[in-house]
Amino acid sequence: MRALAKTSREYGAVELVDRSRPEPAADEALIEVDYAGLCGSDAGIYKFKSAFERMSLPTVIGHEYTGRVVEVGDDVAGLELGDRVVERPIRSCGSCYQCKIGEENVCQDAVITGVDHDGAYAGYISVPESALQRVGDDVDPRHAALVEPTSIGARAVVHNSRVGAGDRVMVAGPGPIGLLTAQIADAQGGDVVVAGVGNDVSYRLPLAEELGFRTVNVEEHDLEAVREELTDGVGYDVVFDTTGHPSGLTMAVDEVRKGGQIVVVGQTGETTMPYSPLVRSELDLQCSYASTYEDFDRSLRLIATGDVDLETVLDDRYSLLEVDEAFEAFLGGETCKPVFDVSLLRE
């Protein structure tokens, strides 16, 4: 089979390589991959940020995907041939303290698909049964490829935020996680505004408007005036920082009301700011990372009911055979969520 791999420690350097079709171990299922999405971390691998130095190259990338079970190991009891599935790509050890108390998303010894071992930009992938969840017939296969990023938004909103009916909410960052988070916060009853920067003006902010959200370009609009209009000058009850940029958190502090909540979803790196104002305002600063079985299960239901609109968000213009175009468009803000037809890697 063919697969798309990161082949060297430099910008770009993703190439189609030949791989043998994997053989599932006793506790694994072999998945024939149908569709896979492009994630911000895949873009980080493409740029080769320092967080990915641990990768042993060449490594097949990709971790947001869906496919069908075509073979099972001898010890697999809960899956059948033909089952449609998605993977929880942070594979937990199952035995550390965090795993035992149900916090497998922050497992001490987790490994990540498409980073620590070969991922899903391939015709087939072999996966432990414990990392797989079934997908019902009420979810479109292309939409199923986006269950994993939806689950990140679901955890941020439902598990880690205080958003309720009538709350005034700002989502900073109109990337894929931001737009999914905004939709789920809206489904929770929040009154949501989506904020972006100049790089988002051509594609991502208009996409947020197509989804029904008021948008703000923080480089052009007077945020204080917008805050006065939308919150009577009080500030937002909850601000989600999905930017992954050091400025996201400092902006969130300016926008949230006293006694409000900031939920940090994007990985911002280093930022410097005074923290005394946070204490004096009794702000709730909450982090949210990855997702669990429950978040995946909830996301499948949100997608099936239409509370999360993935058809508008996904972009199927790109091919794994000419993937640099997709990565460059993603990095340039010219697309939000590319979804690839992986079946062509089996042709």
Side-chain angles (χ1 to χ4, degrees), residues 295-316:
D295 304 314
F296 268 70
D297 186 57
R298 188 186 305 277
S299 297
L300 285 163
R301 284 179 274 130
L302 286 166
I303 294 167
T305 59
D307 286 314
V308 172
D309 175 1
L310 294 179
E311 188 63 32
T312 299
V313 174
L314 69 82
D315 185 351
D316 58 6

Side-chain angles (χ1 to χ4, degrees), residues 179-238:
L179 294 185
L180 293 168
T181 297
Q183 292 188 69
I184 298 168
D186 177 71
Q188 286 279 97
D191 183 9
V192 182
V193 60
V194 176
V197 295
N199 199 41
D200 302 314
V201 169
S202 65
Y203 188 93
R204 292 180 174 183
L205 286 176
L207 190 61
E209 292 170 358
E210 188 176 345
L211 290 167
F213 298 111
R214 165 99 179 238
T215 63
V216 178
N217 179 350
V218 301
E219 294 178 355
E220 291 187 357
H221 291 98
D222 182 337
L223 289 182
E224 185 176 354
V226 174
R227 189 167 64 251
E228 180 69 33
E229 175 190 352
L230 298 183
T231 74
D232 294 323
V234 172
Y236 300 93
D237 298 293
V238 181

Side-chain angles (χ1 to χ4, degrees), residues 25-342:
D27 65 341
E28 292 181 332
L30 182 66
I31 310 304
E32 186 177 81
V33 183
D34 291 325
Y35 295 96
L38 192 161
C39 173
S41 60
D42 297 318
I45 294 171
Y46 184 83
K47 294 172 69 175
F48 211 67
K49 293 182 177 180
S50 59
F52 301 103
E53 284 288 346
R54 72 180 190 271
M55 291 177 68
S56 178
L57 303 183
T59 297
V60 178
I61 60 176
H63 64 272
E64 302 175 356
Y65 72 96
T66 187
R68 291 160 291 158
V69 176
V70 293
E71 187 177 342
V72 295
D74 292 341
D75 295 340
V76 174
L79 293 171
E80 298 180 355
L81 300 185
D83 281 350
R84 295 173 55 214
V85 293
V86 292
E87 179 188 348
R88 299 189 307 283
I90 297 182
R91 299 185 190 175
S92 55
C93 70
S95 59
C96 72
Y97 178 77
Q98 279 70 26
C99 286
K100 289 178 179 177
I101 64 173
E103 297 176 354
E104 63 266 26
N105 60 308
V106 288
C107 167
Q108 295 180 29
D109 299 305
V111 293
I112 302 176
T113 297
V115 177
D116 300 306
H117 52 258
D118 281 347
Y121 289 171
Y124 300 88
I125 182 173
S126 198
V127 185
E129 179 185 12
S130 60
L132 294 168
Q133 284 181 238
R134 281 199 191 89
V135 177
D137 293 336
D138 52 356
V139 176
D140 183 289
R142 296 179 306 145
H143 300 170
L146 304 183
V147 171
E148 193 271 344
T150 304
S151 73
I152 293 174
R155 183 168 187 82
V157 176
V158 180
H159 187 272
N160 284 324
S161 89
R162 312 192 310 216
V163 173
D167 279 340
R168 295 163 294 195
V169 178
M170 172 178 275
V171 175
I177 299 300
L179 294 185
L180 293 168
T181 297
Q183 292 188 69
I184 298 168
D186 177 71
Q188 286 279 97
D191 183 9
V192 182
V193 60
V194 176
V197 295
N199 199 41
D200 302 314
V201 169
S202 65
Y203 188 93
R204 292 180 174 183
L205 286 176
L207 190 61
E209 292 170 358
E210 188 176 345
L211 290 167
F213 298 111
R214 165 99 179 238
T215 63
V216 178
N217 179 350
V218 301
E219 294 178 355
E220 291 187 357
H221 291 98
D222 182 337
L223 289 182
E224 185 176 354
V226 174
R227 189 167 64 251
E228 180 69 33
E229 175 190 352
L230 298 183
T231 74
D232 294 323
V234 172
Y236 300 93
D237 298 293
V238 181
V239 177
F240 293 91
D241 174 18
T242 72
T243 64
H245 190 275
S247 64
L249 180 57
T250 55
M251 186 186 79
V253 172
D254 291 335
E255 296 301 312
V256 73
R257 69 168 174 84
K258 288 189 174 185
Q261 184 189 39
I262 298 170
V263 182
V264 182
V265 188
Q267 298 183 46
T268 62
E270 295 184 11
T271 189
T272 301
M273 65 181 188
Y275 285 87
S276 293
L278 279 70
V279 176
R280 291 196 295 267
S281 296
E282 203 174 58
L283 293 184
D284 176 4
L285 184 59
Q286 171 71 48
C287 296
S288 188
Y289 179 67
S291 52
T292 66
Y293 179 99
E294 179 184 13
D295 304 314
F296 268 70
D297 186 57
R298 188 186 305 277
S299 297
L300 285 163
R301 284 179 274 130
L302 286 166
I303 294 167
T305 59
D307 286 314
V308 172
D309 175 1
L310 294 179
E311 188 63 32
T312 299
V313 174
L314 69 82
D315 185 351
D316 58 6
R317 293 177 294 167
Y318 302 101
S319 169
L320 284 173
L321 300 182
E322 297 176 347
V323 77
D324 288 285
E325 181 184 1
F327 277 98
E328 295 296 343
F330 185 91
L331 291 169
E334 298 167 8
T335 184
C336 182
K337 180 49 74 174
V339 172
F340 303 114
D341 180 350
V342 184

